[in-house]
Coordinates of all heavy atoms in Angstrom, one line a residue:
D28 N -230.2 -164.7 55.1 CA -229.9 -165.3 56.4 C -229.7 -164.2 57.4 O -229.0 -163.2 57.1 CB -228.7 -166.2 56.3 CG -229.0 -167.5 55.6 OD1 -230.2 -167.8 55.3 OD2 -228.1 -168.2 55.2
A29 N -230.2 -164.4 58.6 CA -230.1 -163.4 59.6 C -228.7 -163.5 60.3 O -228.1 -162.5 60.6 CB -231.1 -163.6 60.7
A30 N -228.2 -164.7 60.4 CA -226.9 -165.0 61.0 C -226.6 -166.5 60.6 O -227.5 -167.2 60.2 CB -226.9 -164.8 62.5
P31 N -225.4 -166.9 60.7 CA -225.1 -168.3 60.3 C -226.0 -169.2 61.2 O -226.0 -169.2 62.4 CB -223.6 -168.5 60.7 CG -223.0 -167.1 60.6 CD -224.2 -166.2 61.0
G32 N -226.7 -170.1 60.5 CA -227.6 -171.0 61.2 C -228.9 -170.4 61.6 O -229.7 -171.1 62.3
C33 N -229.2 -169.2 61.2 CA -230.5 -168.6 61.6 C -231.1 -167.9 60.3 O -230.4 -167.2 59.6 CB -230.3 -167.5 62.7 SG -231.8 -166.8 63.3
S34 N -232.4 -168.3 60.0 CA -233.0 -167.8 58.8 C -234.3 -167.0 59.1 O -235.0 -167.3 60.0 CB -233.2 -169.0 57.9 OG -232.1 -169.7 57.6
V35 N -234.6 -166.1 58.2 CA -235.8 -165.3 58.3 C -236.6 -165.3 57.0 O -236.0 -165.2 56.0 CB -235.4 -163.8 58.7 CG1 -236.6 -162.9 58.7 CG2 -234.6 -163.8 60.0
L36 N -237.9 -165.3 57.2 CA -238.8 -165.2 56.0 C -239.9 -164.2 56.4 O -240.5 -164.4 57.5 CB -239.5 -166.6 55.7 CG -240.5 -166.4 54.6 CD1 -240.1 -167.4 53.4 CD2 -241.9 -166.8 55.1
D37 N -240.2 -163.2 55.6 CA -241.2 -162.3 55.9 C -242.2 -162.4 54.7 O -242.0 -162.0 53.6 CB -240.7 -160.9 55.9 CG -241.7 -159.8 56.3 OD1 -242.9 -160.1 56.3 OD2 -241.3 -158.7 56.5
A38 N -243.4 -163.0 55.0 CA -244.4 -163.2 54.0 C -245.5 -162.2 54.1 O -246.6 -162.5 53.5 CB -245.0 -164.7 54.2
R39 N -245.3 -161.1 54.7 CA -246.4 -160.1 54.8 C -246.7 -159.6 53.4 O -245.7 -159.4 52.6 CB -246.0 -158.9 55.7 CG -246.0 -159.3 57.1 CD -245.6 -158.1 58.0 NE -244.1 -157.9 57.7 CZ -243.4 -157.1 58.4 NH1 -243.9 -156.3 59.2 NH2 -242.1 -157.0 58.1
G40 N -247.9 -159.4 53.0 CA -248.3 -158.9 51.7 C -248.4 -160.0 50.7 O -248.5 -159.8 49.5
G41 N -248.4 -161.3 51.2 CA -248.5 -162.4 50.3 C -247.3 -163.3 50.3 O -246.2 -162.8 50.7
A42 N -247.5 -164.5 49.8 CA -246.3 -165.4 49.8 C -245.3 -165.0 48.8 O -245.6 -164.7 47.7 CB -246.8 -166.8 49.5
P43 N -244.0 -164.8 49.3 CA -242.9 -164.4 48.4 C -242.4 -165.7 47.7 O -242.8 -166.8 48.0 CB -241.9 -163.9 49.4 CG -242.1 -164.7 50.6 CD -243.6 -164.9 50.7
H44 N -241.4 -165.5 46.8 CA -240.7 -166.6 46.3 C -240.0 -167.3 47.5 O -239.5 -166.5 48.3 CB -239.7 -166.2 45.2 CG -240.4 -165.6 44.0 ND1 -241.1 -166.3 43.1 CD2 -240.4 -164.3 43.6 CE1 -241.6 -165.5 42.2 NE2 -241.2 -164.3 42.5
P45 N -240.0 -168.6 47.6 CA -239.3 -169.2 48.7 C -237.8 -168.8 48.8 O -237.2 -168.8 47.8 CB -239.5 -170.7 48.4 CG -240.5 -170.8 47.4 CD -240.5 -169.5 46.6
P46 N -237.4 -168.5 50.0 CA -235.9 -168.2 50.1 C -235.2 -169.6 50.0 O -235.8 -170.6 50.0 CB -235.8 -167.7 51.6 CG -237.0 -168.1 52.3 CD -238.1 -168.3 51.2
S47 N -233.9 -169.5 50.0 CA -233.1 -170.8 49.7 C -233.4 -171.8 50.8 O -233.3 -173.0 50.6 CB -231.7 -170.5 49.6 OG -231.2 -169.9 50.8
W48 N -233.7 -171.4 52.1 CA -233.8 -172.3 53.2 C -235.2 -173.0 53.2 O -235.4 -174.0 53.9 CB -233.5 -171.7 54.5 CG -234.4 -170.6 54.9 CD1 -234.2 -169.2 54.7 CD2 -235.6 -170.7 55.6 NE1 -235.2 -168.5 55.2 CE2 -236.1 -169.4 55.8 CE3 -236.3 -171.7 56.2 CZ2 -237.3 -169.1 56.4 CZ3 -237.5 -171.5 56.8 CH2 -238.0 -170.2 56.9
A49 N -236.2 -172.4 52.6 CA -237.5 -173.0 52.6 C -237.8 -173.8 51.4 O -237.3 -173.5 50.3 CB -238.6 -171.8 52.7
L50 N -238.5 -174.9 51.6 CA -238.9 -175.7 50.4 C -239.9 -175.0 49.6 O -239.9 -175.1 48.4 CB -239.4 -177.1 50.9 CG -238.3 -178.0 51.6 CD1 -239.0 -179.3 52.1 CD2 -237.2 -178.3 50.7
D51 N -240.9 -174.4 50.3 CA -242.0 -173.7 49.6 C -242.7 -172.8 50.5 O -242.5 -172.9 51.7 CB -243.0 -174.7 49.0 CG -243.8 -174.2 47.9 OD1 -243.7 -173.0 47.5 OD2 -244.7 -174.9 47.4
V52 N -243.4 -171.8 50.0 CA -244.2 -170.9 50.8 C -245.6 -170.9 50.1 O -245.7 -170.6 49.0 CB -243.6 -169.5 50.8 CG1 -244.5 -168.5 51.6 CG2 -242.2 -169.5 51.4
D53 N -246.6 -171.2 50.9 CA -248.0 -171.2 50.4 C -249.0 -170.6 51.4 O -248.7 -170.5 52.6 CB -248.5 -172.7 50.2 CG -247.9 -173.4 49.0 OD1 -247.8 -172.7 48.0 OD2 -247.5 -174.5 49.1
A54 N -250.1 -170.2 50.9 CA -251.2 -169.7 51.8 C -251.7 -170.9 52.6 O -251.7 -172.0 52.0 CB -252.3 -169.0 51.0
F55 N -252.1 -170.7 53.8 CA -252.7 -171.7 54.6 C -254.0 -172.2 54.1 O -254.9 -171.4 53.8 CB -252.7 -171.3 56.1 CG -253.3 -172.3 57.0 CD1 -252.6 -173.5 57.3 CD2 -254.6 -172.2 57.5 CE1 -253.2 -174.4 58.1 CE2 -255.2 -173.1 58.3 CZ -254.4 -174.3 58.6
D56 N -254.2 -173.5 54.1 CA -255.5 -174.1 53.7 C -255.8 -175.3 54.6 O -255.0 -176.3 54.7 CB -255.4 -174.6 52.2 CG -256.7 -175.3 51.7 OD1 -257.6 -175.3 52.5 OD2 -256.7 -175.7 50.6
E57 N -256.8 -175.1 55.5 CA -257.2 -176.1 56.5 C -257.3 -177.5 55.8 O -256.9 -178.5 56.4 CB -258.5 -175.8 57.2 CG -258.4 -174.6 58.0 CD -259.3 -173.5 57.5 OE1 -259.8 -173.6 56.3 OE2 -259.6 -172.6 58.3
A58 N -257.9 -177.6 54.7 CA -258.2 -178.9 54.0 C -256.9 -179.7 53.7 O -256.9 -180.9 53.8 CB -259.0 -178.7 52.7
E59 N -255.8 -179.0 53.5 CA -254.5 -179.7 53.2 C -254.0 -180.4 54.4 O -253.2 -181.3 54.3 CB -253.5 -178.7 52.7 CG -253.7 -178.2 51.3 CD -252.6 -177.3 50.8 OE1 -251.5 -177.4 51.3 OE2 -252.9 -176.5 49.9
F60 N -254.5 -180.0 55.6 CA -254.1 -180.6 56.9 C -255.2 -181.5 57.4 O -255.1 -181.9 58.6 CB -253.6 -179.6 57.9 CG -252.3 -178.9 57.5 CD1 -252.3 -177.8 56.7 CD2 -251.1 -179.4 58.0 CE1 -251.1 -177.2 56.3 CE2 -249.9 -178.8 57.6 CZ -249.9 -177.7 56.8
G61 N -256.3 -181.7 56.7 CA -257.4 -182.5 57.2 C -258.2 -181.8 58.2 O -258.8 -182.5 59.1
L62 N -258.1 -180.5 58.3 CA -258.8 -179.7 59.3 C -260.1 -179.0 58.7 O -260.1 -178.7 57.5 CB -257.9 -178.6 59.8 CG -256.6 -179.1 60.5 CD1 -255.7 -177.9 60.8 CD2 -256.9 -179.9 61.7
G63 N -261.1 -178.8 59.5 CA -262.3 -178.1 59.1 C -262.3 -176.7 59.7 O -261.4 -176.4 60.6
P64 N -263.2 -175.9 59.3 CA -263.3 -174.5 59.8 C -263.4 -174.6 61.4 O -264.2 -175.3 61.9 CB -264.5 -173.9 59.2 CG -264.7 -174.7 57.9 CD -264.2 -176.1 58.3
G65 N -262.6 -173.8 62.1 CA -262.7 -173.7 63.5 C -261.9 -174.8 64.3 O -261.8 -174.7 65.5
D66 N -261.3 -175.7 63.5 CA -260.5 -176.7 64.2 C -259.2 -176.1 64.7 O -258.7 -175.1 64.1 CB -260.1 -177.9 63.2 CG -261.2 -178.8 63.0 OD1 -262.2 -178.8 63.7 OD2 -261.1 -179.6 62.0
A67 N -258.6 -176.6 65.7 CA -257.3 -176.1 66.2 C -256.2 -176.3 65.2 O -256.2 -177.4 64.6 CB -257.0 -176.7 67.6
V68 N -255.4 -175.4 65.0 CA -254.3 -175.5 64.0 C -253.0 -175.5 64.7 O -252.7 -174.6 65.6 CB -254.3 -174.3 63.0 CG1 -253.2 -174.4 62.0 CG2 -255.7 -174.2 62.3
P69 N -252.1 -176.5 64.5 CA -250.8 -176.6 65.1 C -249.9 -175.5 64.5 O -250.1 -175.0 63.4 CB -250.3 -177.9 64.7 CG -250.9 -178.2 63.4 CD -252.3 -177.6 63.5
D70 N -248.9 -175.0 65.3 CA -247.9 -174.1 64.9 C -246.9 -174.8 64.0 O -246.3 -174.2 63.0 CB -247.2 -173.4 66.0 CG -248.1 -172.5 66.8 OD1 -249.0 -171.9 66.2 OD2 -247.9 -172.4 68.0
L71 N -246.6 -176.0 64.3 CA -245.6 -176.8 63.6 C -246.2 -178.2 63.2 O -247.0 -178.7 63.9 CB -244.4 -177.1 64.4 CG -243.6 -175.9 65.0 CD1 -242.5 -176.3 65.9 CD2 -243.1 -175.0 63.9
S72 N -245.8 -178.7 62.1 CA -246.2 -180.0 61.6 C -245.0 -180.7 61.1 O -244.3 -180.2 60.2 CB -247.3 -179.9 60.6 OG -247.6 -181.2 60.1
L73 N -244.7 -182.0 61.6 CA -243.6 -182.8 61.1 C -244.2 -184.0 60.4 O -244.8 -184.8 61.0 CB -242.7 -183.2 62.2 CG -241.5 -184.0 61.8 CD1 -240.6 -183.2 60.9 CD2 -240.7 -184.4 63.1
D74 N -244.0 -184.1 59.1 CA -244.5 -185.2 58.3 C -243.6 -186.5 58.7 O -242.4 -186.5 58.4 CB -244.4 -184.9 56.8 CG -245.0 -186.0 56.0 OD1 -244.7 -187.2 56.1 OD2 -245.9 -185.6 55.1
P75 N -244.2 -187.5 59.2 CA -243.5 -188.7 59.6 C -242.9 -189.5 58.5 O -241.9 -190.2 58.6 CB -244.5 -189.5 60.4 CG -245.8 -189.1 59.9 CD -245.7 -187.7 59.5
D76 N -243.5 -189.3 57.3 CA -243.0 -190.1 56.1 C -241.8 -189.5 55.5 O -240.8 -190.2 55.1 CB -244.1 -190.2 55.1 CG -245.3 -191.1 55.6 OD1 -245.0 -192.0 56.4 OD2 -246.4 -190.8 55.3
D77 N -241.8 -188.2 55.3 CA -240.6 -187.5 54.6 C -239.8 -186.6 55.4 O -238.8 -186.0 55.0 CB -241.1 -186.8 53.3 CG -242.1 -185.8 53.5 OD1 -242.3 -185.3 54.7 OD2 -242.8 -185.4 52.6
G78 N -240.2 -186.4 56.7 CA -239.4 -185.5 57.6 C -239.5 -184.1 57.3 O -238.7 -183.3 57.9
V79 N -240.5 -183.6 56.5 CA -240.6 -182.2 56.2 C -241.3 -181.5 57.4 O -242.4 -181.9 57.9 CB -241.5 -182.0 54.9 CG1 -241.8 -180.5 54.8 CG2 -240.7 -182.5 53.7
L80 N -240.6 -180.4 57.9 CA -241.2 -179.6 59.0 C -241.9 -178.4 58.4 O -241.3 -177.7 57.6 CB -240.0 -179.1 59.9 CG -240.4 -178.1 61.0 CD1 -241.3 -178.8 62.0 CD2 -239.1 -177.6 61.6
T81 N -243.2 -178.3 58.7 CA -244.0 -177.2 58.2 C -244.3 -176.2 59.4 O -244.7 -176.6 60.4 CB -245.3 -177.7 57.6 OG1 -245.0 -178.6 56.6 CG2 -246.1 -176.6 57.1
L82 N -244.0 -174.9 59.2 CA -244.3 -173.9 60.1 C -245.6 -173.2 59.6 O -245.7 -172.9 58.4 CB -243.2 -172.8 60.2 CG -242.0 -173.2 60.9 CD1 -241.2 -174.2 60.2 CD2 -241.2 -172.0 61.2
I83 N -246.6 -173.2 60.5 CA -248.0 -172.8 60.0 C -248.4 -171.5 60.7 O -248.4 -171.4 62.0 CB -249.0 -173.9 60.4 CG1 -248.6 -175.2 59.7 CG2 -250.4 -173.4 59.9 CD1 -249.3 -176.4 60.2
N84 N -248.8 -170.5 60.0 CA -249.4 -169.3 60.5 C -250.8 -169.2 59.9 O -251.0 -168.8 58.8 CB -248.6 -168.0 60.2 CG -249.2 -166.8 60.7 OD1 -250.2 -166.8 61.4 ND2 -248.6 -165.6 60.4
A85 N -251.8 -169.6 60.7 CA -253.2 -169.6 60.3 C -253.8 -168.3 60.6 O -255.0 -168.1 60.3 CB -253.9 -170.8 60.9
S86 N -253.1 -167.4 61.2 CA -253.7 -166.1 61.6 C -253.5 -165.0 60.5 O -252.8 -165.3 59.6 CB -253.1 -165.6 62.9 OG -251.8 -165.1 62.7
D87 N -254.1 -163.9 60.7 CA -253.9 -162.8 59.7 C -252.7 -161.9 60.1 O -252.4 -161.0 59.4 CB -255.2 -161.9 59.7 CG -256.3 -162.7 59.0 OD1 -256.0 -163.5 58.1 OD2 -257.5 -162.4 59.4
A88 N -252.1 -162.2 61.3 CA -251.0 -161.3 61.8 C -249.7 -162.0 61.6 O -249.6 -163.3 61.5 CB -251.3 -161.1 63.3
P89 N -248.6 -161.3 61.5 CA -247.3 -161.9 61.4 C -247.0 -162.7 62.7 O -247.4 -162.3 63.8 CB -246.3 -160.7 61.3 CG -247.2 -159.5 60.9 CD -248.6 -159.8 61.4
R90 N -246.2 -163.8 62.5 CA -245.9 -164.6 63.7 C -244.4 -164.9 63.6 O -243.8 -164.9 62.5 CB -246.6 -165.9 63.6 CG -248.1 -165.7 63.6 CD -249.0 -166.5 64.5 NE -248.5 -167.3 65.5 CZ -248.9 -168.5 65.8 NH1 -249.8 -169.1 65.0 NH2 -248.5 -169.1 66.8
A91 N -243.8 -165.1 64.7 CA -242.3 -165.5 64.7 C -242.2 -166.9 65.3 O -242.9 -167.2 66.3 CB -241.6 -164.5 65.6
Y92 N -241.3 -167.6 64.8 CA -241.0 -169.0 65.2 C -239.5 -169.1 65.4 O -238.8 -168.6 64.6 CB -241.5 -170.0 64.2 CG -242.9 -170.0 63.9 CD1 -243.4 -169.2 62.9 CD2 -243.8 -170.8 64.6 CE1 -244.8 -169.2 62.5 CE2 -245.2 -170.8 64.2 CZ -245.6 -170.0 63.2 OH -247.0 -170.0 62.9
H93 N -239.2 -169.8 66.5 CA -237.7 -170.0 66.8 C -237.7 -171.6 66.9 O -238.1 -172.1 67.9 CB -237.3 -169.4 68.1 CG -235.8 -169.6 68.3 ND1 -234.9 -168.6 68.2 CD2 -235.1 -170.7 68.7 CE1 -233.7 -169.1 68.4 NE2 -233.8 -170.3 68.8
V94 N -237.1 -172.2 65.9 CA -237.0 -173.7 65.8 C -235.6 -174.0 65.7 O -234.9 -173.6 64.7 CB -237.9 -174.2 64.7 CG1 -237.8 -175.8 64.6 CG2 -239.3 -173.8 64.8
S95 N -235.1 -174.8 66.6 CA -233.7 -175.4 66.4 C -233.8 -176.9 66.3 O -234.5 -177.5 67.0 CB -232.9 -175.0 67.7 OG -232.6 -173.6 67.7
V96 N -233.0 -177.4 65.4 CA -232.9 -178.8 65.1 C -231.5 -179.3 65.4 O -230.5 -178.7 64.8 CB -233.3 -179.1 63.6 CG1 -233.3 -180.6 63.3 CG2 -234.7 -178.5 63.3
R97 N -231.3 -180.3 66.2 CA -230.0 -180.7 66.6 C -229.7 -182.0 66.0 O -230.5 -182.9 65.9 CB -229.9 -180.9 68.1 CG -229.7 -179.7 68.9 CD -229.6 -179.9 70.3 NE -228.2 -180.5 70.5 CZ -227.7 -180.8 71.7 NH1 -228.4 -180.5 72.8 NH2 -226.6 -181.3 71.8
D98 N -228.4 -182.1 65.6 CA -227.8 -183.4 65.1 C -228.5 -184.1 64.0 O -228.5 -185.3 63.8 CB -227.6 -184.4 66.3 CG -226.8 -183.8 67.4 OD1 -225.8 -183.0 67.1 OD2 -227.0 -184.1 68.6
V99 N -229.2 -183.3 63.1 CA -229.9 -183.8 61.9 C -229.5 -182.8 60.8 O -229.5 -181.6 61.0 CB -231.4 -183.8 62.1 CG1 -232.1 -184.2 60.8 CG2 -231.8 -184.7 63.2
S100 N -229.1 -183.4 59.6 CA -228.8 -182.5 58.5 C -230.1 -181.9 58.0 O -231.1 -182.7 57.7 CB -228.2 -183.4 57.4 OG -227.9 -182.6 56.3
V101 N -230.2 -180.6 57.9 CA -231.4 -179.9 57.5 C -231.2 -179.4 56.1 O -230.2 -178.8 55.8 CB -231.8 -178.7 58.4 CG1 -233.0 -178.0 57.9 CG2 -232.0 -179.3 59.8
V102 N -232.1 -179.7 55.2 CA -232.0 -179.4 53.8 C -233.1 -178.4 53.4 O -234.3 -178.6 53.6 CB -232.0 -180.6 52.9 CG1 -231.9 -180.3 51.4 CG2 -230.9 -181.6 53.3
G103 N -232.7 -177.3 52.7 CA -233.7 -176.4 52.2 C -233.8 -176.5 50.7 O -233.3 -177.5 50.1
R104 N -234.5 -175.6 50.0 CA -234.8 -175.7 48.6 C -233.5 -175.8 47.8 O -233.5 -176.5 46.7 CB -235.6 -174.4 48.2 CG -236.1 -174.5 46.8 CD -237.0 -173.3 46.5 NE -236.5 -172.0 46.8 CZ -235.7 -171.3 46.0 NH1 -235.4 -171.7 44.8 NH2 -235.3 -170.1 46.4
L105 N -232.4 -175.1 48.2 CA -231.2 -175.1 47.4 C -230.1 -176.0 48.1 O -228.9 -175.9 47.7 CB -230.7 -173.7 47.2 CG -231.6 -172.8 46.5 CD1 -231.0 -171.4 46.4 CD2 -231.9 -173.3 45.1
G106 N -230.4 -176.8 49.0 CA -229.4 -177.7 49.6 C -229.3 -177.6 51.1 O -230.2 -177.0 51.7
P107 N -228.3 -178.2 51.7 CA -228.1 -178.2 53.1 C -228.0 -176.7 53.7 O -227.5 -175.8 53.1 CB -226.7 -178.9 53.3 CG -226.5 -179.6 52.1 CD -227.2 -178.9 51.0
L108 N -228.6 -176.6 54.9 CA -228.6 -175.3 55.6 C -227.4 -175.3 56.5 O -226.9 -176.3 57.0 CB -229.9 -175.1 56.4 CG -231.2 -175.1 55.6 CD1 -232.3 -174.9 56.6 CD2 -231.2 -174.1 54.5
P109 N -226.9 -174.1 56.8 CA -225.7 -173.9 57.7 C -226.1 -174.3 59.1 O -227.3 -174.1 59.5 CB -225.3 -172.5 57.6 CG -226.5 -171.8 57.1 CD -227.3 -172.8 56.3
S110 N -225.2 -174.8 59.8 CA -225.4 -175.1 61.2 C -224.3 -174.6 62.1 O -223.2 -174.2 61.6 CB -225.6 -176.7 61.4 OG -224.3 -177.3 61.1
R111 N -224.5 -174.5 63.4 CA -223.5 -174.1 64.3 C -223.3 -175.1 65.4 O -224.2 -175.9 65.6 CB -224.0 -172.8 65.0 CG -224.3 -171.7 64.0 CD -224.6 -170.4 64.7 NE -223.3 -169.8 64.9 CZ -223.1 -168.5 65.2 NH1 -224.1 -167.8 65.5 NH2 -221.9 -168.0 65.4
V112 N -222.2 -175.1 66.0 CA -221.9 -176.1 67.1 C -222.7 -175.7 68.3 O -222.7 -174.5 68.7 CB -220.4 -176.2 67.4 CG1 -220.2 -177.1 68.6 CG2 -219.7 -176.7 66.2
C113 N -223.5 -176.6 68.9 CA -224.2 -176.3 70.1 C -224.3 -177.6 70.9 O -224.7 -178.7 70.3 CB -225.6 -175.7 69.9 SG -226.7 -176.8 69.0
G114 N -223.8 -177.6 72.1 CA -223.9 -178.8 72.9 C -223.1 -180.0 72.4 O -223.5 -181.1 72.6
G115 N -222.0 -179.7 71.7 CA -221.2 -180.7 71.1 C -221.7 -181.3 69.8 O -221.0 -182.1 69.1
G116 N -222.8 -180.8 69.3 CA -223.3 -181.3 68.0 C -223.6 -180.1 67.1 O -223.3 -179.0 67.4
G117 N -224.3 -180.4 66.0 CA -224.7 -179.4 65.1 C -226.1 -178.9 65.3 O -227.0 -179.7 65.7
C118 N -226.3 -177.6 65.2 CA -227.6 -177.0 65.4 C -228.0 -176.2 64.2 O -227.2 -175.3 63.8 CB -227.6 -176.1 66.7 SG -228.7 -176.6 67.9
T119 N -229.2 -176.3 63.7 CA -229.7 -175.4 62.7 C -231.0 -174.8 63.2 O -231.8 -175.4 63.8 CB -230.1 -176.2 61.4 OG1 -228.9 -176.9 60.9 CG2 -230.6 -175.3 60.3
T120 N -231.0 -173.4 63.1 CA -232.2 -172.7 63.5 C -232.9 -172.0 62.4 O -232.2 -171.4 61.6 CB -231.8 -171.7 64.6 OG1 -231.1 -172.3 65.7 CG2 -233.0 -170.9 65.1
V121 N -234.2 -172.2 62.3 CA -235.0 -171.5 61.2 C -236.0 -170.6 61.9 O -236.3 -170.8 63.0 CB -235.7 -172.4 60.2 CG1 -234.6 -173.2 59.4 CG2 -236.6 -173.4 60.9

């Protein structure tokens, strides 16, 4: 963890073992998202059925994402993620 409520993953050189805050780390595959070659790829995907937030890097270069989730319990591979008070509620940043 970079700081309480803030997490970092560096997947350069291939997908590492998932850190405790990530559910999984996989190489990007357009077909898994119903996309074809050349289709626009979202940076984030939120599954409406299970609430899983996916951060997508379809490029060959490292990317940084700053995502904060308010007033929702966020769960990683090993359980709940730490949160900080922000705006009177709880905030988790990945």
Side-chain angles (χ1 to χ4, degrees):
D28 288 346
C33 184
S34 304
V35 175
L36 175 124
D37 184 352
R39 289 178 289 184
H44 297 289
S47 62
W48 63 267
L50 296 177
D51 201 1
V52 177
D53 286 316
F55 176 71
D56 180 359
E57 294 114 344
E59 288 184 23
F60 289 87
L62 302 171
D66 286 347
V68 178
D70 291 326
L71 304 173
S72 174
L73 181 61
D74 187 307
D76 296 326
D77 58 19
V79 171
L80 175 65
T81 302
L82 285 71
I83 304 167
N84 179 3
S86 76
D87 292 329
R90 304 224 15 224
Y92 301 87
H93 182 107
V94 179
S95 293
V96 180
R97 281 185 71 174
D98 299 329
V99 175
S100 179
V101 179
V102 178
R104 187 172 54 85
L105 299 180
L108 301 182
S110 65
R111 302 186 88 165
V112 175
C113 63
C118 241
T119 302
T120 302
V121 295

